[in-house]
Amino acid sequence: MSRIGRKPIPVAKGVKVEITPENMITVTGPKGTLQRQFTPDLTINQDDGNLTVTRPDDTQTHKALHGLSRTLLFNMVTGVSTGFSKTLEINGTGYRVAKVGENLVFQVGYSHPVEVDPPAGISFTVEGTTKCTVNGIDKYMVGQVAAQIRDIRKPEPYKGKGIKYANEVIRRKAGKAGKVGGKKK
């Protein structure tokens, strides 16, 4: 049986979970509401402040959906209670970010500033001119928006200039080596 799928999901105080017979789950908490349709093959039960996901048999499809469904449900409960965030850092001479209204405006070496509008349920915070954070209750949306921001100017391997995740390590390459040990004339 799936180790992840077996684990019960603790429901935090102030979080309300509604389960319909068609496995439409609605999770409401202090940060907002999330809703998702799960496969009707799996059984989702709520008892004693915990949620459990069980599968009917050990077919390959049900095994694959068991752990996935439990993780998606856990992310929903975590999102409405504490939320998710991803921090991005901007490196490079003259590279900066500013918050204008609800939008982010990046100056990252292009001839024009790049503006990013937040989708519904996502908010931005800016610390200084070189750090920005994407916040939201849906883990998928937070990661997707952060990836789209990173794609504006990916970090390059020579000087590390660009937009990177805060915990990302950029593998650096050596620059030109022709002057150091080149062929003698």
Side-chain angles (χ1 to χ4, degrees), residues 8-17 27-28 45-52 73-74 77-78 80-81:
I9 301 166
V11 178
K13 297 280 185 201
V15 175
K16 190 175 123 188
V17 180
V27 182
T28 307
N45 296 319
Q46 182 178 12
D47 51 303
D48 300 333
N50 288 328
L51 291 169
T52 55
L73 193 56
F74 177 76
V77 172
T78 305
V80 297
S81 59

Side-chain angles (χ1 to χ4, degrees), residues 150 155-160 164 168-174:
R150 183 180 179 274
E156 53 95 16
Y158 296 102
K159 293 183 179 180
K164 70 179 191 86
E168 183 179 8
V169 177
I170 306 299
R171 288 190 58 187
R172 304 296 282 273
K173 291 183 179 180

